[in-house]
Amino acid sequence: MFRSAPGEFPALQWAKTQTGYGDGYRLNPCQNLSLEVQTPSSGARLRAMTTTYFATAPLGMTDLLEQEINQLGASACQASRAGVSFDGDIETAYRVCLWSRIANRVLLPLASFAADTPEALYDGVKAIDWQAHLSSRETLAVDANISSSAMTHTQYAALRVKDAIVDQFSERFGKRPNVDVNAPDVRINCYIHKDEATIYLDLSGNSLHQRNYRLAIGQAPLKENLAAAILLRARWPEISGHGGALVDPMCGSGTLLIEGLMMAADIAPGLDRTYWGFSGWKGHKPAIWERLLAEANYRRTRGLENIPLICGSDADERVVGLARENAERAGLADYIHFTVQDVHHYQPEAAGLTPESTGLIVTNPPYGRRLAETGELPAIYAALGATLKRCFVGWQVSVFTEDQKLGHHLGMRSQKVNSLYNGAIPCKLMHYLVDEKNYYRYERLPKRLAADALSEQAQGFRNRLQKNLKQLRKWARQEDVTNYRVYDADLPDYSAAVDVYSDVVVSDLYWVVIQEYEAPATIDPQKARTRTFELVTVVQEIFGVPDERLFYKQRTRQRGDAQYEKLSEERHFHIVREGVCKLWVNFEDYLDTGLFLDHRPVRSRIGQEAAGKDFLNLFAYTGAATVQAAMGGARSTTTVDMSKTYLAWAQRNLALNNLPDNGHQLVQADCIEWVRLQAQQSYDLIFLDPPTFSNSKRMKQNFDVQRDHVALVSATLRLLRPGGTLYFSNNQRNFRLDGQLAEQTGAVNLSRESVPFDFRRRQNIHHLWQFIKKA
């Protein structure tokens, strides 16, 4: 019999506990839910011993599975690469089978033992009491998986496991169970890793991603548990809880929509499955299972009473028909609004949406070798981006793709990217908010010209840029340089610097930054504008980058701290790599990007010399040298700069490289005053890189590096331990180190060797001096 408290079987509600994609959701079960199952014979409450189980999950989803199993009442959950182990009674295991949207299988471990030979495997399996799990009348099947072991043949391993089981029955009872590979009463799993075998009883039977509704599929369908993972990462439970709609404008066979509806309506994903691995198992408790099914059916009925709008469309009428058939098999066709329309001409009103509608767009755009080879994919993504901006302002968007580079054709900056796997194929799930502030600002670039409008001088510039790029790309690959200068005012008519920054997040992509030097007042303004248009046009053509990866700035004559002043408030940061370090750069908000490329060899030298040393970085800017020292094994680092903004940037750079706060001190101070006041501190390695000139109001007096360098270097040398090294750098073109200071300290001029190959055209880009304090 079944008995419940008043308000029986209330649906579980999703509640958000933390911000982020796919994080922090829990199920809130109603506290007054009280179900009791009685057996006809005893009338006593069924109780079960706590057992350890193991649920397998696809790659990239074990964190979601761990959250899910915790929510279902299990204890001692522990995730690994292959899945999640958990403790619970048989009811807990049944709940995971019935309610898990992520798991592939739920396994009951029976035994573990050494198995470096087929004979050892046979003996270990035969030692298990199989009569406790099945009789000779039941059928069985065995699956085997082997890794890093002496045995390598999985089919032979499965055969030896089967032989051990049936031989035990033959020897004891003279009868043996038969094999049924399709729908056995009991399915056994054998996992052998490093010659250690673990034997499991598979409670799920078939993979749990098979919900029993998807018989009709389109091209490249998503598995149901992958679709569920996409929706969880996209925060669909939270969005639907607030009444948000779910839209898939390229729905294919409808898997995302059906899984999304099942989540919103609190429908158990295993409710319509007819075959379970535990059904023919001797340990099966039918009364508990029937109670859980009754609860799930009640929750389904209640959940469907109030669901958000869910709509899907596709350009292929046949595919939409398949999606409808799948929804009908799930009993959900009446709750999903399907339309035939393509993403290029999407009409939201045809899908049942209103101007007030809001929610989540989630989609898996088409992909395939033919589309990739014909170049159709960028156009598809561009059309999707245009539709999102036209019809879905304010909506959340999640796009699942095998090629993250295609996401840039949406014309929006992603807020977050998750890694998932479609089978063994690594994929990305990109999340967006459709808001004008996130659109790529193409108007930030000067006008581009048609090819036939370019002057003869522009053709010469094109030839020079091509030649430089070919040479420097080869050098960069050989030297593992990822950010470098390609052009630096080589031709007087095109006075600009062109830099390349490689993208860490998306391999094989890069950003190109143009910094044009302001034309003299004697140059005709119209001629100067035309030169700018030609400059940007040729650079984009040669590098082949889209607008969103091309940046243009104009450098004017700098006074004081002008190079550190803001140009805009975009706050768009990107990650680049330099050697072993990852660094944040910004191409829009400041005249400089946060990384001085000409100092690359100096930073590399610091990283190589920092092991076991206390490092001081003065006038530290964004702390790139600090990160190199820390990654090089510095015992401690101290980073001093007057700018709170740049110290925060330095802190982000440290965090980006997983460097702990402990041992890495950030000091906001006037470096000149700070050095003067230090009496107790000393360091083994110091990098001193002051500006050419500064008249900041936060300094006690203005600073001129030529005039004031003797006092500054002398004060800094006092902080240097015997045998320690000070590197003093500045970028004043005609700088001369004081002769008496050089003679007294034995300073070594490293300027020529510190200027990298990509800056060879500007040998005076900076000056570098080395001071080693005598022991």
Side-chain angles (χ1 to χ4, degrees), residues 4-242:
S4 67
E8 60 183 4
F9 302 118
L12 297 180
Q13 300 294 320
W14 283 95
K16 189 171 188 295
T17 59
Q18 296 177 12
T19 59
Y21 293 103
D23 298 325
Y25 295 100
R26 70 178 189 278
L27 285 172
N28 289 338
C30 180
Q31 298 301 313
N32 67 359
L33 181 60
S34 173
L35 297 175
E36 189 174 283
V37 179
Q38 295 180 343
T39 60
S41 56
S42 66
R45 184 189 295 264
L46 285 170
R47 299 183 183 275
M49 295 176 59
T50 296
T51 305
T52 297
Y53 300 87
F54 188 82
T56 64
L59 287 172
M61 302 187 205
T62 52
D63 61 323
L64 293 174
L65 180 59
E66 184 178 18
Q67 292 177 35
E68 194 176 52
I69 293 176
N70 265 312
Q71 295 156 7
L72 291 170
S75 60
C77 295
Q78 186 170 354
S80 65
R81 179 176 172 80
V84 177
S85 64
F86 63 95
D87 290 348
D89 55 18
I90 189 62
E91 179 173 332
T92 304
Y94 285 167
R95 282 192 180 276
V96 176
C97 286
L98 182 61
W99 282 97
S100 176
R101 304 183 190 278
I102 302 299
N104 279 332
R105 297 183 182 275
V106 178
L107 306 174
L108 171 63
L110 301 181
S112 293
F113 49 86
D116 57 346
T117 65
E119 293 72 26
L121 176 62
Y122 178 94
D123 292 339
V125 173
K126 197 172 182 182
I128 301 170
D129 181 10
W130 289 104
Q131 188 185 5
H133 302 291
L134 74 161
S135 71
S136 60
R137 297 186 301 273
E138 272 78 52
T139 59
L140 66 94
V142 179
D143 297 323
N145 185 284
I146 302 176
S147 64
S148 305
S149 298
M151 285 190 289
T152 58
H153 200 296
T154 56
Q155 290 185 344
Y156 185 65
L159 179 63
R160 296 305 289 155
V161 172
K162 184 269 297 180
D163 289 344
I165 298 171
V166 300
D167 287 352
Q168 184 186 100
F169 276 94
S170 296
E171 292 169 8
R172 290 186 182 182
F173 310 109
K175 296 180 180 181
R176 50 157 284 179
N178 291 322
V179 172
D180 182 349
V181 296
N182 295 317
D185 295 308
V186 173
R187 184 178 294 275
I188 305 301
N189 289 75
C190 170
Y191 289 84
I192 304 175
H193 178 63
K194 294 184 178 180
D195 298 325
E196 182 78 13
T198 304
I199 307 301
Y200 298 91
L201 190 144
D202 187 346
L203 299 179
S204 45
N206 294 329
S207 176
L208 291 174
H209 82 270
Q210 299 173 6
R211 319 282 206 228
N212 214 33
Y213 67 75
R214 198 182 67 170
L215 301 180
I217 59 175
Q219 293 183 344
L222 296 174
K223 285 187 176 180
E224 292 86 332
N225 53 354
L226 174 56
I230 289 170
L231 290 160
L232 291 174
R233 297 283 193 210
R235 294 168 35 194
W236 167 238
E238 177 194 354
I239 293 170
S240 65
H242 289 91

Side-chain angles (χ1 to χ4, degrees), residues 356 377 394 397 548 642 687 745:
E356 293 74 34
L377 292 174
V397 178
E548 60 267 23
M642 194 161 52
F687 183 44
T745 59

Side-chain angles (χ1 to χ4, degrees), residues 534-598:
E534 291 180 331
L535 170 69
V536 178
T537 300
V538 171
V539 169
Q540 186 167 36
E541 173 199 337
I542 296 301
F543 285 91
V545 292
D547 284 6
E548 60 267 23
R549 287 188 169 265
L550 182 63
F551 298 87
Y552 170 85
K553 306 173 187 179
Q554 187 176 78
R555 298 192 76 102
T556 59
R557 182 176 176 82
Q558 297 174 18
R559 296 176 177 84
D561 296 317
Q563 74 180 106
Y564 303 105
E565 293 177 358
K566 281 198 170 185
L567 299 179
S568 67
E569 290 286 350
E570 294 302 316
R571 299 182 182 177
H572 297 142
F573 285 82
H574 309 276
I575 300 174
V576 298
R577 178 177 66 83
E578 183 178 84
V580 298
C581 305
K582 291 186 290 186
L583 300 166
W584 290 104
V585 291
N586 186 311
F587 305 130
E588 297 171 85
D589 293 345
Y590 300 86
L591 187 57
D592 286 301
T593 64
L595 186 64
F596 294 133
L597 299 183
D598 62 295

Side-chain angles (χ1 to χ4, degrees), residues 469-772:
L469 182 59
K470 181 179 180 180
Q471 183 182 33
L472 286 163
R473 273 182 172 167
K474 181 179 179 181
W475 163 79
R477 285 193 296 268
Q478 291 174 343
E479 300 295 327
D480 191 30
V481 174
T482 48
N483 316 296
Y484 53 93
R485 179 153 294 180
V486 177
Y487 176 90
D488 199 350
D490 299 28
L491 303 176
D493 284 339
Y494 300 91
S495 183
V498 180
D499 297 328
V500 170
Y501 291 82
S502 296
D503 193 337
V504 168
V505 178
V506 186
S507 59
D508 301 326
L509 286 185
Y510 47 83
W511 297 279
V512 178
V513 180
I514 304 170
Q515 300 177 74
E516 185 177 20
Y517 304 110
E518 185 181 29
T522 55
I523 300 297
D524 176 60
Q526 181 57 47
K527 183 178 180 180
R529 280 194 296 272
T530 300
R531 287 286 189 263
T532 297
F533 298 158
E534 291 180 331
L535 170 69
V536 178
T537 300
V538 171
V539 169
Q540 186 167 36
E541 173 199 337
I542 296 301
F543 285 91
V545 292
D547 284 6
E548 60 267 23
R549 287 188 169 265
L550 182 63
F551 298 87
Y552 170 85
K553 306 173 187 179
Q554 187 176 78
R555 298 192 76 102
T556 59
R557 182 176 176 82
Q558 297 174 18
R559 296 176 177 84
D561 296 317
Q563 74 180 106
Y564 303 105
E565 293 177 358
K566 281 198 170 185
L567 299 179
S568 67
E569 290 286 350
E570 294 302 316
R571 299 182 182 177
H572 297 142
F573 285 82
H574 309 276
I575 300 174
V576 298
R577 178 177 66 83
E578 183 178 84
V580 298
C581 305
K582 291 186 290 186
L583 300 166
W584 290 104
V585 291
N586 186 311
F587 305 130
E588 297 171 85
D589 293 345
Y590 300 86
L591 187 57
D592 286 301
T593 64
L595 186 64
F596 294 133
L597 299 183
D598 62 295
H599 272 161
R600 185 191 320 113
V602 184
R603 290 189 292 267
S604 176
R605 181 187 287 258
I606 288 170
Q608 294 168 10
E609 297 179 4
K613 297 179 180 179
D614 295 314
F615 173 67
L616 172 63
N617 190 1
L618 294 169
F619 301 94
Y621 191 32
T622 60
T626 299
V627 175
Q628 287 284 2
M631 295 296 287
R635 180 169 49 215
S636 72
T637 68
T638 302
T639 304
V640 186
D641 198 278
M642 194 161 52
S643 168
K644 182 179 180 181
T645 298
Y646 288 126
L647 283 176
W649 196 330
Q651 177 62 58
R652 291 185 67 199
N653 278 335
L654 289 166
L656 182 62
N657 291 273
N658 299 314
L659 294 165
D661 292 338
N662 184 31
H664 302 293
Q665 184 182 15
L666 299 170
V667 180
Q668 183 184 3
D670 171 357
C671 289
I672 298 172
E673 188 67 13
W674 185 87
V675 167
R676 187 181 66 82
L677 295 175
Q678 298 307 301
Q680 305 299 323
Q681 297 297 326
S682 61
Y683 302 89
D684 305 294
L685 183 62
I686 301 176
F687 183 44
L688 174 64
D689 184 28
T692 297
F693 179 81
S694 177
N695 59 359
S696 172
K697 295 179 180 179
R698 289 173 291 179
M699 297 178 66
K700 287 191 173 182
Q701 59 184 22
N702 63 22
F703 174 81
D704 181 292
V705 70
Q706 185 64 68
R707 182 191 69 198
D708 301 322
H709 76 274
V710 174
L712 177 60
V713 171
S714 299
T716 306
L717 284 170
R718 287 197 293 270
L719 304 182
L720 196 62
R721 292 171 185 155
T725 301
L726 164 66
Y727 290 108
F728 166 55
S729 175
N730 71 81
N731 64 348
Q732 184 175 354
R733 292 187 179 184
N734 58 352
F735 176 80
R736 295 290 183 270
L737 186 71
D738 180 80
Q740 186 176 356
L741 176 66
E743 184 178 351
Q744 290 175 348
T745 59
V748 178
N749 189 348
L750 300 178
S751 300
R752 181 172 293 274
E753 63 187 84
S754 71
V755 174
F757 178 71
D758 48 324
F759 284 84
R760 67 195 184 284
R761 296 174 298 279
R762 290 185 61 191
Q763 287 294 321
N764 62 350
I765 185 69
H766 69 242
H767 302 273
L768 180 69
W769 296 82
Q770 181 191 56
F771 300 82
I772 299 177

